[in-house]
Amino acid sequence: MEKMQSPCPKEAYQECLNGCCPNPLLGFPEPQKKMGKTRSTAATCRRNFAATATSCIFPNTQFTNPESLPSLQESFAEFSKAYPQYIETHQVDKIREQEYYHLSLSHHTCLDYIGIGLFSYFQLQKHDSRKQIVSSSHHSPPPNSHFPFFSVSYKTGNLKTQLLHGGQESEIESAIKKRIMSFLNISENDYCMVFTANRTSAFKLVAESYPFHSSQKLLTVYDYESEAIETMINCSQKKGAKVMSAEFSWPRLRIHSPKLRKMIMRKRKKKKKRGLFVFPLHSRVTGARYPYLWMSIAQENDWHILIDACALGPKDMDSFGLSLIRPDFLICSFYKIFGENPSGFGCLFVKKSTAPLLEDSTTTGMISLVPAKKLFWFLDESSGPMSSPKTCSEKLEQGETSESQTAVKTGKQKASETSETETAGTAAEHEVSESPASKSQTIGIAARQKEPETSEIVELVKPAKVIQQETAKPRKNGTMEVECRGLDQVDLLGLTQISNRARCLINWLVNALMKLKHPNTEEIPVIRIYGPKIKFDRGPALAFNVFDWKGEKVEAPLVQKLADRSNISLSYGFLHQISFSGKYEEEKAKVLERRTCGVKGKLTNKSKERANVGITVVTVALGFLANFEDAYMLWAFIAQFLDADFVEKAKWRYTALNQKTVEV
């Protein structure tokens, strides 16, 4: 290992973090007087950031042995010098210590959650007292050991009718809906909202209700395979839609702009809409951010716009510019507790002026939120155990309502697609250091609600009334208010603090991983990163593969399984729709792989071929609670692959167990 000192442009970088953020409305006009200066400042900002990462973090250094890595303390000292702004995000560490202390107690590194949870682990522990109350009345709590905050009840209905006329809502459902719309900065005057079982259900609902008979095209922009998108494609094709997909240019996996522009543009003006343009704001696998200009171009060419906000970082909706873009549909999802409970629900927002254009269709996928206390209404009066019918909350706690991942799979089934979200909100005056008794508990309702699946439930027993009094938090106007500490904490931290922290961590991790080289003359790198590398405005997600000393790829499921043994939760996904120019034709044959069981549906042979050929990759996501130790632990784990014996023993073990490819 060789180390050399190199000058570090700290002052320029510090100025960059203080006064420069990526312009999310890329492509929208700016005032002429400021445009030149703004572009110059932004370009300088990004160059300074990249220079800092390369010149200050392990400059001119390669690590060829896992024993040669600096310690956690030494690495953090160097990291802090390179990124002084990271220290100013100490409030996140305080929140993690007080509200999510289970992460430290379990020494668990969670890198398979994207976005933010509704509640904190601290809230969960306060609910333990409720279980004790129920137990004292000779009833047993649900089989799962944790109080679930809320349950869900599935319902079949007409999405268009639900959007136009609404439906019966419990107070808890109404309160959570208002809190989420406030958090996302979405006006109830402009948009309707429905809860869905998960992300896939939301996309399916749109596909089944969208008028593809008159607006026949479906255009998606995804560099990775997604169960939700595949479901939407299959549903739309059954209705006669013509499906098109954007392509991504190798090796940087940027959108192939000429091809996408050609698919969006229309040759002559027509009155009817062209179809549905489905646009993720950035890739939840590679971390690539996409120019918002594409949405503007699509609107100018008479497309309906669906924004997939499931991979947004916390508070990103604050910089989104929803009032300028005004999409027809927006989909996001929320999970319960980071590092503890990935179950949750999806949210589908539909612009009120668009809702009347939808078709009448009776479908499944919509849900109602049920107060958690109703779990105990199913208790048998004599024996105490939970009896049939089985509530959805039991499934929710077991992860059954979270979307099973095709594009991204986790070792402990913790990263369902419902654990990808986030966005923004109003500032919350919530002090992290407050005592447990200083605020009322989380969720509850002030009165019983008759739901379709719970209309015959018996009267509340006294202990449940005690629970109700603890959880209810009425406002002055008499309506219910929900305390979602996860959302409150993000509101408290703000966009700048969260973005700066994630930017420092993900770019340090990328730089550190690229410093790992196998000890041979060819200097074969341990990993290959797909998509953006060191970049100022990249997202906090990362896609890569691990290679052994012979240059052979270590299968992503095996890497995931080994990480799980080290108490690190990773995911893996499948990159596809990759376009190779002529000069990369030779490399194309080496990097692409063909799957035996791939995309189903009535795609053309060419489309099926492109969809079923791609690259299986390991994926990492740094949530807003991630700290430097999480990034370092992953780096130290990947460094073990520098040891040839480590790799060979791992391969032999799983081959001997007939698990050469480990499906998790």
Side-chain angles (χ1 to χ4, degrees):
M1 181 182 72
E2 179 186 4
K3 277 194 175 183
M4 296 178 62
Q5 294 298 323
S6 179
C8 179
K10 293 179 184 176
E11 293 181 2
Y13 171 66
Q14 193 163 1
E15 179 183 352
C16 172
L17 282 186
N18 283 330
C20 179
C21 284
N23 182 10
L25 298 178
L26 183 61
F28 286 93
E30 299 179 35
Q32 291 295 323
K33 293 182 180 179
K34 297 182 179 180
M35 185 180 296
K37 184 177 180 181
T38 301
R39 287 180 177 175
S40 176
T41 303
T44 302
C45 173
R46 286 157 175 74
R47 284 196 300 268
N48 289 340
F49 183 88
T52 298
T54 55
S55 63
C56 297
I57 302 173
F58 311 130
N60 303 307
T61 303
Q62 293 181 356
F63 299 98
T64 59
N65 189 309
E67 302 298 328
S68 66
L69 265 61
S71 67
L72 172 62
Q73 291 74 20
E74 292 172 334
S75 299
F76 182 69
E78 293 298 316
F79 169 79
S80 300
K81 291 177 183 178
Y83 299 116
Q85 291 292 330
Y86 179 84
I87 305 301
E88 298 181 10
T89 68
H90 63 87
Q91 200 169 14
V92 179
D93 298 306
K94 189 175 181 181
I95 289 174
R96 176 170 170 145
E97 178 185 356
Q98 296 182 355
E99 301 274 339
Y100 302 88
Y101 48 86
H102 64 295
L103 298 174
S104 298
L105 294 175
S106 63
H107 302 288
H108 188 198
T109 302
C110 294
L111 301 176
D112 54 356
Y113 283 72
I114 289 183
I116 187 176
L118 292 166
F119 313 111
S120 73
Y121 185 78
F122 178 72
Q123 283 182 287
L124 178 68
Q125 297 309 301
K126 292 201 293 184
H127 280 278
D128 283 344
S129 60
R130 304 181 183 187
K131 293 184 293 183
Q132 295 174 5
I133 293 175
V134 174
S135 296
S136 67
S137 65
H138 307 292
H139 292 296
S140 300
N144 224 301
S145 61
H146 298 311
F147 205 94
F149 294 102
F150 62 82
S151 176
V152 300
S153 170
Y154 292 94
K155 59 184 181 183
T156 300
N158 187 310
L159 175 62
K160 181 177 181 179
T161 301
Q162 178 73 25
L163 294 171
L164 294 177
H165 307 293
Q168 184 180 14
E169 289 184 347
S170 65
E171 287 191 74
I172 185 176
E173 187 170 356
S174 178
I176 292 181
K177 180 181 292 187
K178 289 180 179 179
R179 180 65 184 96
I180 287 175
M181 295 190 78
S182 172
F183 182 74
L184 298 175
N185 288 334
I186 296 177
S187 172
E188 294 184 60
N189 296 326
D190 300 325
Y191 286 87
C192 307
M193 171 188 164
V194 295
F195 290 106
T196 65
N198 47 43
R199 179 173 179 254
T200 296
S201 297
F203 278 91
K204 184 172 181 286
L205 282 167
V206 174
E208 291 177 338
S209 302
Y210 187 79
F212 283 111
H213 67 281
S214 58
S215 303
Q216 296 179 345
K217 297 181 184 295
L218 174 66
L219 175 55
T220 64
V221 186
Y222 287 82
D223 62 1
Y224 65 94
E225 184 185 74
S226 165
E227 181 178 342
I229 300 306
E230 297 305 326
T231 299
M232 169 174 258
I233 288 174
N234 291 336
C235 290
S236 62
Q237 285 178 327
K238 292 177 182 178
K239 299 179 66 176
K242 178 184 177 182
V243 177
M244 301 180 293
S245 300
E247 295 183 17
F248 300 84
S249 300
W250 182 266
R252 295 187 177 183
L253 297 185
R254 292 177 175 175
I255 292 175
H256 194 301
S257 297
K259 289 186 178 180
L260 181 56
R261 186 180 292 272
K262 185 177 180 180
M263 288 187 280
I264 293 177
M265 302 288 285
R266 72 187 321 163
K267 295 180 180 179
R268 56 184 182 275
K269 192 73 175 177
K270 294 182 179 180
K271 290 184 178 180
K272 67 178 183 178
K273 291 287 186 180
R274 293 201 73 192
L276 185 61
F277 180 61
V278 183
F279 189 77
L281 298 178
H282 67 258
S283 171
R284 63 176 295 274
V285 172
T286 65
R289 295 186 185 273
Y290 304 133
Y292 292 7
L293 173 63
W294 290 114
M295 290 181 285
S296 178
I297 295 175
Q299 286 179 325
E300 291 171 0
N301 286 271
D302 301 316
W303 290 82
H304 285 116
I305 308 296
L306 187 158
I307 291 179
D308 179 359
C310 291
L312 278 181
K315 299 297 287 179
D316 278 0
M317 283 294 281
D318 278 6
S319 64
F320 173 56
L322 188 67
S323 60
L324 289 174
I325 298 172
R326 293 183 58 79
D328 300 279
F329 307 91
L330 187 143
I331 293 175
C332 62
S333 55
F334 292 83
Y335 60 85
K336 288 184 179 178
I337 303 171
F338 179 80
E340 176 65 27
N341 192 332
S343 62
F345 51 76
C347 296
L348 169 61
F349 298 90
V350 181
K351 191 162 63 174
K352 289 189 174 181
S353 59
T354 303
L357 305 178
L358 300 179
E359 296 178 345
D360 290 309
S361 174
T362 301
T363 183
T364 59
M366 291 182 287
I367 61 170
S368 297
L369 300 189
V370 181
K373 65 188 178 184
K374 289 191 177 181
L375 287 175
F376 303 109
W377 294 2
F378 288 102
L379 296 176
D380 183 86
E381 291 187 3
S382 58
S383 61
M386 187 73 71
S387 60
S388 295
K390 182 178 181 180
T391 64
C392 298
S393 60
E394 293 174 311
K395 298 179 183 179
L396 195 67
E397 284 302 295
Q398 297 163 11
E400 291 180 20
T401 60
S402 295
E403 177 182 340
S404 61
Q405 293 206 56
T406 301
V408 178
K409 304 177 183 178
T410 70
K412 294 183 178 180
Q413 295 294 322
K414 287 191 176 181
S416 64
E417 293 224 32
T418 55
S419 67
E420 330 163 328
T421 15
E422 274 340 289
T423 35
T426 56
E429 298 179 359
H430 169 67
E431 294 298 329
V432 180
S433 59
E434 69 185 22
S435 64
S438 62
K439 278 207 171 190
S440 59
Q441 319 292 68
T442 58
I443 299 181
I445 62 170
R448 298 188 309 278
Q449 299 293 327
K450 290 188 176 181
E451 308 275 1
E453 295 185 13
T454 58
S455 59
E456 297 181 4
I457 293 175
V458 298
E459 193 73 19
L460 280 171
V461 293
K462 184 174 180 179
K465 290 183 179 179
V466 176
I467 294 172
Q468 172 186 323
Q469 293 170 3
E470 288 184 356
T471 59
K473 184 181 179 182
R475 290 176 178 170
K476 292 181 180 180
N477 60 8
T479 61
M480 181 55 52
E481 182 179 358
V482 175
E483 184 190 17
C484 297
R485 290 173 84 102
L487 306 186
D488 294 342
Q489 290 151 8
V490 170
D491 282 338
L492 175 68
L493 294 169
L495 174 65
T496 301
Q497 187 172 179
I498 292 173
S499 299
N500 285 349
R501 184 181 179 94
R503 185 177 298 119
C504 295
L505 289 173
I506 191 66
N507 281 283
W508 179 90
L509 179 60
V510 169
N511 188 68
L513 288 172
M514 291 194 300
K515 297 290 185 179
L516 302 177
K517 305 281 186 179
H518 284 292
N520 52 40
T521 54
E522 297 180 12
E523 294 183 350
I524 298 175
V526 174
I527 70 155
R528 177 167 195 167
I529 293 174
Y530 305 91
K533 296 181 177 62
I534 297 173
K535 193 173 181 181
F536 179 86
D537 56 355
R538 62 161 297 135
L542 180 65
F544 65 93
N545 271 319
V546 180
F547 294 84
D548 64 17
W549 63 277
K550 294 178 288 187
E552 297 179 358
K553 187 175 85 169
V554 181
E555 295 301 319
L558 177 55
V559 175
Q560 180 199 53
K561 199 69 176 178
L562 293 172
D564 191 56
R565 287 171 48 193
S566 298
N567 219 15
I568 300 174
S569 295
L570 302 178
S571 309
Y572 65 91
F574 188 74
L575 298 175
H576 65 172
Q577 306 295 351
I578 304 173
S579 174
F580 290 80
S581 62
K583 65 179 180 179
Y584 293 112
E585 197 64 30
E586 184 177 344
E587 192 173 1
K588 175 180 179 180
K590 295 180 181 179
V591 300
L592 292 183
E593 60 192 68
R594 187 184 306 276
R595 296 178 303 169
T596 54
C597 55
V599 176
K600 299 178 181 179
K602 299 180 180 179
L603 294 174
T604 63
N605 290 333
K606 186 176 180 180
S607 298
K608 283 184 179 180
E609 177 73 13
R610 192 167 58 246
N612 289 326
V613 174
I615 308 170
T616 302
V617 294
V618 180
T619 66
V620 167
L622 299 180
F624 89 98
L625 289 168
N627 60 14
F628 180 77
E629 184 176 357
D630 292 333
Y632 180 88
M633 294 303 293
L634 175 63
W635 184 45
F637 164 71
I638 297 298
Q640 294 183 74
F641 290 88
L642 290 168
D643 183 353
D645 288 339
F646 173 80
V647 179
E648 294 304 318
K649 287 178 181 178
K651 288 182 177 179
W652 178 87
R653 181 181 296 110
Y654 287 107
T655 302
L657 294 174
N658 197 25
Q659 294 180 0
K660 187 173 183 179
T661 300
V662 183
E663 293 293 342
V664 181

